[in-house]
Amino acid sequence: ALMITDECINCDVCEPECPNEAIYPGDEIYEIDPNLCTECVGHYDEPQCQQVCPVDCIPLDPDHKETREQLMTKYEALMAAK
Ligand code: SF4
Ligand code: SF4
């Protein structure tokens, strides 16, 4: 999963771009639910939130490192639950 750092300026550009609805406004900055973020695997070649963030504050979450296979498994589980 990716994460949003405290450099976030709450511009709201990323939230509608997420195909998994993993991004939401937190108490102070936007946040990513690691259970929903597939790093856009299954949907796009590149993480869409990273592409649009004007301050480049969406790195990989070191606490939620996943392989491409794990991300694809998550994607499939999310799709099956829809
Ligand atoms: Fe959503 Fe993709 Fe960003 Fe994860 S990487 S939060 S799935 S837009
Ligand atoms: Fe924050 Fe970047 Fe999302 Fe804007 S695009 S809300 S700065 S994480």
Side-chain angles (χ1 to χ4, degrees), residues 3-5 7-16 23-24 29-32 48-58:
M3 62 172 286
I4 294 173
T5 73
E7 290 165 272
C8 172
I9 56 170
N10 291 307
C11 72
D12 188 43
V13 170
C14 57
E15 190 266 329
I23 305 174
Y24 60 95
I29 56 171
Y30 276 69
E31 296 180 25
I32 292 174
Q48 298 299 290
C49 54
Q50 277 184 339
Q51 302 284 306
V52 298
C53 180
V55 295
D56 203 14
C57 70
I58 317 182

Side-chain angles (χ1 to χ4, degrees), residues 2 17-20 22-23 32 36-40 47-49:
L2 304 191
E17 298 299 327
C18 179
N20 295 317
I23 305 174
I32 292 174
L36 297 179
C37 175
T38 64
E39 299 175 21
C40 282
Q48 298 299 290
C49 54

